[in-house]
Structures are given as structure tokens and as C-alpha cells.
Amino acid sequence: MNDKRQSLVLLAIFSFGFLAMGIGTITPAIATIGGAFPSISFSTLLLVSTIPALVSIPVSILGGSVAGKSVKYRTLALFATLVFSIAGAIPYYLQDFNQILLARGLFGLGLGLIMPLNSALIFNLVPEDKQAGVMGINSVVMNIGGIVLQLLGGVLASIGWNYSFLAHALGIITFIIVLVFLPEPQKQEMSAGTDGKAREKLKMPGSVFGWSLLFGIVTILDYPSLTNMSSVLLTIKANAAVAGVVLMFMTVGGMAAGAIFGKVFQKFGRQTLSIGLVFFIVSQVIFSFSQSVTLFIIGEACLGVGLTLSMSSIYMLAGASVHPSQTPMAMSIIVSGMNLGGFLSGYFYAAIMEPLHITTLRFQYYFGTGGYLAILVFFLILFAVKKPLPLESGRQTPAQ
């Protein structure tokens, strides 16, 4: 593939990844939407945000099981982008809250396919020696997409509660780019020496489920740094506008880490995950004790760096452990762990804090510090004991 063609392929992959953080598009409009439906309880109102995440869990698993096999990658990518755009924008025309929730469920159908397919396309269309760099740039694009869609949703919400949903229609541009420039990855064949039974069915390595569990735990621990930050900042007399600025720096940190991820991963290999966990720990320590907005900004930036380094490392390590034909399913399993962790986070902390009558929200950061520290120690020991080995797929795990 020549350089020009490769650049167009990357444009298609990145434009697809641009939509991956689209679940947050209407977040700035939640209060405005609530004002339009005053009889709806707050917990029910939040379903407009949580239903897509819930629907995306089984959808991503199903999509991963058929991608590149019974259904072409291109077909799934175009379907996901079209559903994201149309189902995401449909609530603009709706006045019944139940119908809006139904549309949000359909939106989750498209969203659930985007993130795992985005990573799988990188592993199947990008040369192996460039995958880490592309993965890092892709995370930058994802963060930019999250910012643009969220800002656009907020601006449109200032016009009217239903206008915020129109921001999803931006996905039509991605649909056109994918339609024109995204090629269908070649089917990956097994090596000549592989026996018939193995050719018939590859077994998903247990490590993939381990990475999914890790992603879920990490998400449970980092969610309070996003959802409760505005409430914590109120304790130091910082208003909602300041909270918005503070939270923005998580994305800034994530973009900075994404820009250098390829070089960091090339030098440190799987220990990049450990570096990401260190940044997580630093962020939680800052959130636990800080009384300064400046320190909270630094903490959010560290959180963004930790999230990008850890997430991208998990994708790379999982992708290196499977045959290329398994990458859609592997990525789907991992993304499902993340979505489930986000859904369970609030219930997890409530189950701990309520029986113990803990009222300070900073307890979640104390717990996060201990949790991330325990994970870091586990992986430092694991990486010291278990050396990278050649895999059946012909790939190797990254060196330390």
C-alpha cells in the first residue's frame, strides 16, 4: 500500500474513532432535558445517558463475533456510523420521553460497534511496526471528538433541549469518509502448519478476559474523578464553570499522552501500563487532599495521561496475544468490561459508603489510591515473573 493510500486509510480509521466518545455528547444538556420533562425523576432522566452504554455491551460482543467473518468490517463500520448519526439525532423530533429512550437504545447499537471495530481496524489495516503509534494518535482523535461533540451538544442545548441531539448528525461526515476510503481488511489465514481443528476454531486466550476485568476495575475507580468532580469542587467554593474547566484538562492530558504513546510503548513495552497506573495514583492522591483548583487541574491532567497510557497499552497487549482474525472479538470483550465498570461504579461505592455512613466524596479518591496502588504492585510482580513468549498467532508480546 503506497503512502497516499495509507494516509487515506488512516483518515477513515481516525474519523471512525472520532465518534467513539460520542456517548458524552448530550451530557451538558441533561439539566435542560430535565427541565423539558419536569415529571421525570432524576434517576430516570439519567437513562438518556446510561441506556446507550448498557445496550453497547451485548452489541459490542455480537459485533466482535461476526466482524470479518460472516459480516464484513466495512459493512459493520458503515452500519454503526449510520445508526450513530440517525438514531442519535432522532430525539430532536420526539416529544415523548419513552420514545426518546428507545431512540437512545438504538443509538447504543451504533455506539457499541464503533470502539471495538476502531481498534480492530488498526490491527488489521496498519503494519505491525506502526500500530502503537497509530493507536496513540487514535486516542488523541478520540479525545478531540469527545470535546467537539460535547461542546457542540452544549451550544445546541442553549438553543433548545432537543437541539443537542442534532450534534450526532456530524457522524454523517464520517459515514462518507468511511464509505469512500476504508478498505476491507484481508482475511487473516492460519499458518500452514496449523492443524485442521485449530483452523476451524481459535480459542480466545484467557488473558483477554483478564484485560477486560482490569479495564472494568480501572473504570470503576476512575469514574468518581469525572462524575463527582463538580460536587467536590463545591467544597472549595468553585462553581460549575470552574468544574468544567477542570474536567477539560483530563482530555488535555489524554491528548498529550496519546501523542507520545507510540514512542513510550516502543521504549518501555508492557511497562507502559505500569507508568499509566502511576499517573492514576498521583491523580487520586491530589484529589484526596487538594484545596486548590490549580492542583485539581493537575490531577485531572494526570488522570487523562494515566487513562490513555493504560487503555492504549491494554489494547496493544491484548491485540498482540490473539490472531488478527480474533481482534474484533478481543476488543469487544475489553470494551464491554469498560462499559460495565462505568455502569457499576456508582453502585459499587454506594454499597461501601452507605453501610459505613461515609459521607465525604473524597473517600472515593482514598479508595482509588489504594486500588490503583494494589493493581500497580500486582503488575510489577507479574511482569517481573512472567516473560514475554512467542504466541501461536506468530506475534510476540512487547518486550519489557
Side-chain angles (χ1 to χ4, degrees):
M1 188 181 296
N2 60 45
D3 291 342
K4 181 178 180 181
R5 180 58 178 161
Q6 183 68 49
S7 297
L8 294 175
V9 171
L10 291 178
L11 172 64
I13 292 174
F14 292 150
S15 69
F16 195 57
F18 183 87
L19 304 179
M21 308 292 272
I23 193 170
T25 303
I26 66 164
T27 302
I30 294 292
T32 308
I33 295 171
F37 298 94
S39 62
I40 300 296
S41 68
F42 183 71
S43 58
T44 302
L45 176 65
L46 288 180
L47 289 175
V48 298
S49 179
T50 58
I51 277 184
L54 287 176
V55 171
S56 69
I57 295 174
V59 168
S60 64
I61 296 294
L62 178 62
S65 67
V66 301
K69 301 179 181 70
S70 54
V71 183
K72 292 182 178 180
Y73 284 92
R74 267 178 54 85
T75 302
L76 280 176
L78 290 169
F79 173 77
T81 308
L82 197 61
V83 171
F84 177 98
S85 306
I86 296 176
I90 279 177
Y92 169 79
Y93 300 99
L94 304 177
Q95 299 296 323
D96 181 84
F97 192 75
N98 290 326
Q99 292 178 354
I100 291 174
L101 292 183
L102 177 60
R104 294 298 288 169
L106 292 174
F107 170 75
L109 179 63
L111 187 69
L113 293 172
I114 289 176
M115 187 172 285
L117 275 180
N118 179 231
S119 302
L121 287 169
I122 291 174
F123 284 113
N124 283 274
L125 288 173
V126 177
E128 190 171 345
D129 60 333
K130 297 181 180 179
Q131 287 172 1
V134 172
M135 188 70 73
I137 297 173
N138 187 66
S139 70
V140 175
V141 175
M142 287 169 59
N143 281 296
I144 293 174
I147 292 175
V148 171
L149 289 169
Q150 198 167 34
L151 286 176
L152 185 58
V155 170
L156 291 173
S158 66
I159 302 173
W161 69 269
N162 55 333
Y163 280 79
S164 61
F165 294 97
L166 291 178
H168 298 108
L170 196 63
I172 293 297
I173 298 175
T174 293
F175 176 84
I176 296 172
I177 293 174
V178 169
L179 178 66
V180 175
F181 298 122
L182 184 70
E184 177 66 18
Q186 292 182 350
K187 286 192 174 183
Q188 301 290 338
E189 302 294 338
M190 298 291 290
S191 60
T194 307
D195 61 56
K197 290 184 178 179
R199 285 173 178 274
E200 184 178 339
K201 185 174 182 179
L202 287 166
K203 184 179 180 181
M204 186 66 65
S207 61
V208 171
F209 297 95
W211 292 125
S212 178
L213 176 62
L214 172 64
F215 214 162
I217 294 173
V218 166
T219 306
I220 287 175
L221 296 178
D222 74 25
Y223 244 53
S225 304
L226 306 174
T227 56
N228 297 333
M229 184 54 63
S230 58
S231 299
V232 173
L233 286 170
L234 284 176
T235 64
I236 62 170
K237 312 300 182 185
N239 59 30
V242 173
V245 173
V246 170
L247 287 169
M248 181 185 70
F249 274 85
M250 186 199 78
T251 303
V252 172
M255 290 171 60
I260 63 171
F261 174 76
K263 293 181 179 179
V264 174
F265 193 81
Q266 185 177 21
K267 182 174 182 179
F268 295 102
R270 60 186 184 178
Q271 292 291 1
T272 307
L273 173 60
S274 302
I275 298 172
L277 290 168
V278 169
F279 275 95
F280 269 132
I281 293 169
V282 171
S283 73
Q284 299 304 290
V285 170
I286 291 175
F287 295 152
S288 296
F289 303 105
S290 175
Q291 298 295 321
S292 162
V293 170
T294 301
L295 284 177
F296 272 104
I297 287 175
I298 295 172
E300 283 291 340
C302 289
L303 183 75
V305 172
L307 182 60
T308 294
L309 292 181
S310 300
M311 179 179 68
S312 300
S313 295
I314 289 172
Y315 285 151
M316 291 300 300
L317 293 169
S321 69
V322 300
H323 187 268
S325 64
Q326 294 176 293
T327 51
M329 189 63 185
M331 297 301 111
S332 297
I333 292 171
I334 291 170
V335 170
S336 295
M338 178 191 70
N339 289 330
L340 186 59
F343 176 73
L344 293 177
S345 183
Y347 298 104
F348 174 81
Y349 282 107
I352 297 174
M353 296 172 67
E354 289 179 6
L356 298 176
H357 305 290
I358 298 173
T359 57
T360 174
L361 291 176
R362 297 212 190 202
F363 167 82
Q364 299 170 359
Y365 306 137
Y366 308 151
F367 191 93
T369 301
Y372 285 125
L373 184 59
I375 296 172
L376 175 62
V377 171
F378 172 80
F379 278 101
L380 287 176
I381 295 173
L382 180 66
F383 290 161
V385 173
K386 188 175 181 181
K387 302 300 180 183
L389 296 172
L391 299 166
E392 292 180 358
S393 66
R395 298 183 181 186
Q396 289 187 331
T397 51
Q400 282 182 274

